[in-house]
Amino acid sequence: MSIAIPAPEPASPMDDATRPEPTPLGAGTARSRRIVRSLSGMLVGLIVAGGGWAAWTASQTRRVPVYRAEIVKAYPHDIDAFTQGLEFAGGELFEGTGQYGKSRLRKVQLETGAVLQEVDLPRDVFGEGITVWKDRIIQLTWQERLGLIFDKATFETTGRFRYQGEGWGLTHDESNLIMSDGTATIRFLDPETFKVVRSIRVSTPEGQPVDQLNELEYINGEILANIWNTSTIARISAKDGRILGWIDLSTIRPRRAIGSNAVLNGIAYEPTSKRLFVTGKNWSELFEIRVVPVR
């Protein structure tokens, strides 16, 4: 495909040095405590055994291709931004940030990291993923089950909508909004009514569900998803939820980061130049990357 990501190809057996080594699941936040309790028995067993997510993804490598990320260029990023959503639209970069009392929607200059336009979310909501649909920007909230609609040009609030479950990541294809909620299910929503049109369950070739799907980016029939609290991005078939590959970003690290939750989160694809960008929560840089197969 004509993007910065190579097309999936059959993977050969790999030694431990070439397998993804994401950061382990953390603890200390309400979300992490709830998630650890909800993990499947197999995954919990791996964590207890010390292998964690890396061991689980490594077990998939004979069937699922593994890729690594290389830095093309680093750009400044607001280290105070708790990045929850990242998206290019019309050559402009938009970012949604989280945390109660600090959640914002902003337009950012790529080259300098300067905030060009910004609006605060209500202090009682925790901002999550964003996507730009035509002349609107749509932003999810975490546990409030509330979606916010903004005018793309003015950032004025033009509407709200409700959904079931938590809000995590958001992107869109040619017809629908695409939403994650931390589970293995990805929902496709009608962009006008916000009703669920269909859903897919994300799983490995062995049928093991893959949850913790966080920030999303749709690219040519694939959904890229940050796996929360790891340095791994999943390549997912938007058609049926099959895992098409794992992207290992364990070598992508900022010069500075703030706090224990400063994990990889934020994927943006610029379609005109076909460039792919990633960042993290409270990271000092945003990175343009290329994705290459692990040999």
Side-chain angles (χ1 to χ4, degrees), residues 129-188:
I130 66 167
T131 197
V132 180
W133 179 264
K134 298 182 180 179
D135 60 351
R136 298 176 296 167
I137 302 174
I138 300 165
Q139 186 166 12
L140 302 177
T141 59
W142 177 25
Q143 293 184 317
E144 291 71 39
R145 302 186 178 189
L146 174 68
L148 303 173
I149 307 169
F150 301 90
D151 181 274
K152 178 174 176 284
T154 66
F155 278 22
E156 291 182 0
T157 304
T158 60
R160 297 183 171 199
F161 64 96
R162 293 286 180 178
Y163 50 81
Q164 294 296 313
E166 295 184 355
W168 285 39
L170 192 65
T171 185
H172 69 83
D173 60 14
E174 298 81 5
S175 304
N176 298 301
L177 307 180
I178 304 173
M179 172 184 172
S180 67
D181 59 10
T183 71
T185 298
I186 290 178
R187 287 176 274 176
F188 292 71

Side-chain angles (χ1 to χ4, degrees), residues 5 14 23 69 78 94 117 122 138 141 146 180 229 234 252 265:
I5 308 174
M14 304 174 189
T23 52
D78 180 6
F94 298 89
Q117 190 174 355
I138 300 165
T141 59
L146 174 68
S180 67
N229 226 10
I252 308 299
N265 202 46

